[in-house]
Amino acid sequence: MAVIRTEKICKVYNPDTIPVHALKDVSIQVEKGEFTSLVGPSGSGKTTLLNMLGALDMPSSGKSFIGDVEVTKLSDKERINFRLHNIGFVFQHYNLIPVFTARENVSFIMMLQGVAQKELLERADELLESVGLGDRKDARPHELSGGQQQRVAVARALASKPRFILADEPTANLDTKAAMNLLDIMEKMNEEQKVTFVFSTHDQRVIKRARRVVTLVDGAVHSDKTTTPDNTVKE
Amino acid sequence: MKILLKIAWRNIWRNKGRSAALLTAIVIGLWAGVVTVGLMTGLLDQRIDNLIDSEIAHLQAHHPEFREEHRPEMVLPDVTKLTTWLDEHQSVRSYTARSIVEGMFQSPVKTSGVRIMGVDPERERNTTTFHENLVSGDYVDADIRNPVILGLELAEEHNIEIGNRIVLTFEQLDGELASAAFNVSGFFRSGSTHYDRGNVIVHIKDIQELLSEKPVFHEIAVVLHDIEEAESVVMAINEQFDGLVAQTWDQLSPELGTIVLLGSFMLFIVTMIIMIALAFGILNTMLMALFERIREIGMLISIGMSRIRVFFMIVLEAVMLTITGAAVGMLFAWGTITLLNREGVDLALFAGGIEEIGWPTVIYPAITLGEFFSITVVVITMTLLATLYPAYKAFRVNPMEVEKDT
Ligand SMILES: Nc1ncnc2c1ncn2[C@@H]1O[C@H](COP(=O)(O)OP(=O)(O)OP(=O)(O)O)[C@@H](O)[C@H]1O
Ligand SMILES: [Mg+2]
C-alpha cells in the first residue's frame, strides 16, 4: 500500500476575496522507500502540496490518505497527534528549539511521544552520530552552522520513527558543500533504513539526486519522472 | 510536564532583559500594593486606635436615649449593679464612669457651646489614654478648686491661659440652670480640631455636685482584655440590664465605620490601579515575546506538540517568573513595611495640616499576614490572567507559520 495517496486535491486560498488556486486536482502516490523531489517554479504550489501531504493543512476539496488513514477527515487535534507519531518534518528554517541543545532537540520529540528516558537518550545520541554530529551534541542551534542545524533537524525527524519525512527546501539556506552533505545523509538513511523522503527544492544539484521528480506548474502536476537504478527515466 | 518546565525555564533565560523587566514589574507591583495597603492600614489603625484608646474604649453603656437626646436626666440606672458585674467579668480590663452634659463655655472674650465631660481621673487614666493628650498644665486631678482642661483650639479662640477662670453653664437634672466657675488647669490636643473646639473635661465630683443630689452617670466606658470580645460582652450586658444600652466601639462611632469603609474603598481603587497596570505590562511583554516566537511555535505544533502543551508552556513561563517575582517582591515589601513600621512615616512632609482633621501625622505602616498574602495572591492571579491571552494566542498558532519567511 502507498505511504501517501492524494485524490484530486484542490487548494484555494482566500476563496472569499481574491481566490488563489494553489493546487488543482493533484492526485499522487508516494510508495515506501521513495526519495522524491517536488520541483517547480516559485508559486507553483510545492509548499502547499507538502502541507497537504504532511497533514499540516486541509485541502479545499479532495482526499488525502496516509497509510489507511484518511487524514483529511481528522480534526486539528487528531492531525497534530497523527503528525507526532507518523510524519517527520524538516523545514527551511526555524527547525530547532533555540534554547535546547542538539541532543535535547532530538530527544524532545521522543519525549512528546512518551518514549522512556533511557531509550530516548540512547537513540538521540545514535541519531546525532549518524548525521555526523556526535561531537556537537551539547551545542545549541546558534552555535551550529546552517548545515549542522539541518542535520539536527533530520535527526529529529527520524527520531520519531515516522512513516516518511517531508522536507520543504531543506537546502535553500545552505552552501553547496553543506547541501550535498545533507543530501548524502538523507540518501544514506533512505538506502540503509528505507526511510521515505519527499522534499521540495529549486536546486538543480539536489534535483539530480532525487530518484523521482514531480514537477508542479501552476498548482498542477506537470510531469512525474522516476529514475530506476539503471538510470533509465520512466514517465 | 517535566519537558515543559525545562523549555519554559530555558525560555525565561532567553531574553534576560525582558524577563528582568517582567520580574521587576511583578516585584514593584507587589511591593507597591503591600506598601500602599500597609500605609493605609497604618493610618486607619492609628486613627481608630487613637479614638478607641483615648475616649471610646471598647464598649460603652448609656441610657437608651442619651445618645440621641443628650438630656442630663438620661442617666444610667443602678450603676453599682453594673459596676459590680463588670468588676467580676473576666473579659473586662477596666472601666470608667462619666457624667456628660451639654453646656455653655463662657470666658471674658465670648461664649461657646461645649460638651462638658466629668471624669474620674484615676479610673480614666486606667481605662483610656486621654491623659496623654495633655499638652500643657495638669490633668483634672490638679490640686486646685474646680479644675477644667480644654482643647487648644478652644483656648486659643477664647484667648485663655492656664490659671484663668471660666464659667460653665448647664442644665441640672431637674431642669434648672447651674453655673459655676472653673479654673483652667491644662490644655489637650486630641488630634481632631473639631473635638478640641467642642469639649472640656472636668472632675466628675465637681460636676456631679452641681447636677443633682446623688451622683449620676451618663456613660460607662469599658476596656476589655481583647477588643474582639466587645460584641459578646455587649450582648451579655444588654441581656442582663434593663434601662440601659451597651454598644461596641464601631456602633458608637459611625465615623470609625465610615473611615474603615472609605479607607478600604480607596485601598481597593489604588491596589486595582496598580494591579491593572501590572497586568497590562505583563500582557504586553508576553505578547511581544510570543510574537517573536510565532514561527517556533508553528514548528512545535507542526512536528506534533499538542496545542494544550504549547499553552501550558507559555503559562509555565509566566508562573515561574511570577513565583520568583512574587517571592522577591514579598521580601522587599515585608522589609519595607517592617522598616517603616519601626521608623514611622512623617506625613507632614507630604501633607501639611493633616492633623487638622484628626489624622495622625506620623504613621506606622502595618499589614496583617492575611492582607499580605491576599495581595500576593492577587498579584499572582493578575499575572496569570494576563498570561492567559498570550497563551491562548500561542494555543491558536497556525502550524504553517513555520514556513513564513522573516
Ligand atoms: N497563506 C496563503 N494565502 C494566500 N495565498 C497563498 C498562501 N500560501 C501560498 N499562497 C499562494 O499559493 C500559491 C502557491 O504557493 P506555494 O507557497 O505553495 O508555492 P511554492 O511552490 O512553495 O513557491 P516557492 O518556491 O516560492 O516556495 C502561490 O501563488 C502563493 O502566492
Ligand atoms: Mg515554498
Side-chain angles (χ1 to χ4, degrees), chain B residues 146-257:
Chain B
N146 281 359
V148 61
I149 60 170
L150 34 142
L152 268 182
E153 309 292 325
L154 191 65
E156 267 164 33
E157 275 177 21
H158 287 261
N159 220 342
I160 286 171
E161 283 168 26
I162 290 173
N164 287 169
R165 179 176 292 216
I166 55 99
V167 174
L168 294 175
T169 307
F170 50 88
E171 221 178 297
Q172 295 171 311
L173 254 62
D174 56 13
E176 299 287 312
L177 282 184
S179 268
F182 281 79
N183 295 301
V184 176
S185 71
F187 299 137
F188 61 78
R189 174 189 253 162
S190 67
S192 156
T193 32
H194 179 72
Y195 186 94
D196 293 354
R197 203 172 281 137
N199 288 270
V200 300
I201 309 223
V202 298
H203 197 295
I204 194 161
K205 75 172 181 356
D206 296 338
I207 192 147
Q208 278 179 346
E209 276 169 11
L210 295 160
L211 273 173
S212 76
E213 265 128 52
K214 338 180 271 239
V216 289
F217 300 93
H218 297 102
E219 177 171 288
I220 284 194
V222 183
V223 169
L224 307 173
H225 292 291
D226 181 0
I227 194 168
E228 300 294 328
E229 287 173 42
E231 197 119 359
S232 67
V233 176
V234 158
M235 264 164 62
I237 293 175
N238 288 334
E239 244 167 58
Q240 300 256 334
F241 299 92
D242 292 326
L244 61 82
V245 170
Q247 288 165 298
T248 56
W249 60 274
D250 48 343
Q251 295 166 331
L252 287 163
S253 175
E255 186 204 359
L256 285 190

Side-chain angles (χ1 to χ4, degrees), chain A residues 47 51 56-57 76 80 83-84 89 91 93-100 104 108 111-112 140, chain B residues 3 6-7 10-11 14 295-296 299-305 307 309 400 402-406:
Chain A
T47 299
N51 286 345
L56 287 171
D57 199 5
D76 174 77
I80 292 175
R83 293 199 292 268
L84 175 63
F89 290 93
F91 302 105
H93 7 237
Y94 312 110
N95 263 302
L96 304 177
I97 301 167
V99 294
F100 275 1
E104 286 165 338
F108 178 73
M111 289 184 190
L112 293 182
R140 299 249 183 127
Chain B
I3 184 71
K6 190 168 167 181
I7 193 167
R10 297 266 180 92
N11 274 326
R14 180 167 179 180
R295 289 187 188 80
E296 187 182 324
M299 181 273 289
L300 293 171
I301 297 174
S302 290
I303 66 169
M305 184 168 178
R307 292 183 185 274
R309 276 175 164 161
M400 282 159 296
V402 65
E403 290 151 4
K404 295 218 176 113
D405 278 339
T406 22

